[in-house]
Amino acid sequence: MRAIRQDTHGSPDVLKEVELPRPEPGLSEILIAVRGAGVNPTDWWNRALPMTANGLPLILGWDVSGVVESVGTGVTVFKPGDEVFGMLPYPHGVGAHAEYVTGPARAFVHKPAGIDHVQAGALPLAALTAYQALVDTADIQPGQRVLIHAAAGGVGHLAVQIAKSRGAYVLGTASAAKHDFLRSIGVDEAIDYQTVDFTEAAKDIDVVLDPISRDTAARARSLAVLGPGGTLVSILPFPIDPAELADIAARGIRYESLLVEADRAGMQAIADLVETGALRVHIAATFPLAEAAKAHILGETGRTTGKIVLTVEGR
């Protein structure tokens, strides 16, 4: 099979197309012929530096949409020929940027019939992150005011729609050029972070979804819009000082740092939202598997709206 592998960490040019033996599914695993595989910030971060994905050589990619080629012993939920999508177990279950990949059967669900493999391949990691942050962690309720930073991004634009499906009032930050897009996906108040101080524009917020703050000063700005009983969910796994945590708790604010997990129930909830029309993914660009480096270059600009996907043609 063809795969995109790196033998060292560095710039996008470390990504090389190689020929490797096709894997075989182990116990409780399925072998998937990949048709679409999302590219996420964690991919270019792990390409550049040894972070959450351990060891070299390394084949990146957690998002998978494709066709079940074969099943391992003990698998009852899928048969060869089934169209499935899901996320390989994060952070160590990489390997989706290839023609074939194996993964735990129960990390996947049937692909909704109304979307293609590009759309399905864009969804798992970003949608699971948003769902686990807003539903499982923050448990947002109808009428709550939710602020989503980088609301036009991969996680952000899906989080907006998930929050709206729960009856929330959504505020989103993005550059002015993306405000029409934000309104099209349901944002109630769009905030231009380049010209407006969001701490002045966003008031009485119940939940903040934060994919951008890397230090105490940045977190303090999001905390400023929350009152007692509010929740700040970070999706960046940066360490936080115990003294800062104590200060946040003393203010009556809940702080959580989320690392996304493979989750069959969450994937089914996402599939259900797609099937009802409550959730749609925006595709910023697609690249054939061989051009994975170009996908990384585009992603690292930080200016894309929605998701980038690698497409894989069956042999």
Side-chain angles (χ1 to χ4, degrees):
M1 69 171 188
R2 293 180 302 134
I4 302 300
R5 189 177 74 182
Q6 62 183 90
D7 298 319
T8 186
H9 293 284
S11 63
D13 60 13
V14 304
L15 300 172
K16 306 295 183 183
E17 184 178 311
V18 298
E19 285 278 349
L20 298 172
R22 192 181 76 173
E24 295 297 330
L27 296 175
S28 301
E29 289 188 332
I30 56 176
L31 173 68
I32 300 170
V34 181
R35 294 292 179 264
V39 182
N40 297 285
T42 190
D43 289 300
W44 53 81
W45 294 342
N46 277 284
R47 184 213 72 230
L49 296 167
M51 295 184 70
T52 56
N54 293 334
L56 291 170
L58 176 63
I59 300 171
L60 290 167
W62 284 270
D63 283 335
V64 182
S65 183
V67 181
V68 176
E69 185 81 6
S70 61
V71 303
T73 301
V75 175
T76 62
V77 291
F78 297 117
K79 302 297 181 187
D82 287 347
E83 294 187 313
V84 298
F85 76 134
M87 186 186 77
L88 298 174
Y90 192 85
H92 305 305
V94 287
H97 295 169
E99 288 186 309
Y100 295 91
V101 69
T102 59
R106 291 184 180 272
F108 294 87
V109 297
H110 290 280
K111 179 184 74 66
I115 60 173
D116 59 24
H117 286 296
V118 170
Q119 294 165 305
L123 279 165
L125 189 149
L128 278 175
T129 299
Y131 191 87
Q132 290 171 8
L134 296 179
V135 179
D136 295 343
T137 302
D139 189 26
I140 58 173
Q141 298 297 312
Q144 285 191 318
R145 292 169 60 82
V146 177
L147 172 63
I148 296 172
H149 288 302
V155 171
H157 86 291
L158 300 172
V160 166
Q161 297 170 73
I162 290 169
K164 293 300 294 182
S165 76
R166 305 279 290 188
Y169 183 92
V170 177
L171 300 85
T173 64
S175 62
K178 298 179 180 180
H179 284 194
D180 284 345
F181 171 72
L182 293 191
R183 284 186 280 269
S184 76
I185 59 173
V187 168
D188 296 290
E189 292 185 36
I191 301 171
D192 179 5
Y193 69 92
Q194 295 176 325
T195 61
V196 176
D197 182 350
F198 77 83
T199 64
E200 296 296 327
K203 300 293 185 182
D204 302 318
I205 301 300
D206 297 293
V207 177
V208 176
L209 177 59
D210 186 0
I212 58 174
S213 298
R214 297 169 181 259
D215 56 32
T216 300
R219 278 189 295 271
R221 288 172 52 74
S222 288
L223 290 166
V225 304
L226 290 165
T231 300
L232 172 61
V233 184
S234 170
I235 60 171
L236 294 180
F238 289 101
I240 180 169
D241 187 88
E244 183 184 350
L245 284 174
D247 178 66
I248 293 170
R251 295 166 57 183
I253 295 172
R254 178 186 175 202
Y255 173 80
E256 300 287 356
S257 179
L258 173 78
L259 197 64
V260 67
E261 299 179 69
D263 174 14
R264 180 175 173 82
M267 281 303 307
Q268 189 58 59
I270 290 161
D272 292 344
L273 288 171
V274 170
E275 289 180 328
T276 63
L279 183 66
R280 67 183 191 275
V281 64
H282 179 80
I283 305 300
T286 62
F287 295 88
L289 181 66
E291 297 181 5
K294 292 182 180 179
H296 280 232
I297 291 169
L298 176 61
E300 286 182 303
T301 66
R303 296 288 181 261
T304 55
T305 297
K307 290 294 304 292
I308 301 168
V309 181
L310 298 180
T311 58
V312 185
E313 298 297 328
R315 291 197 175 183

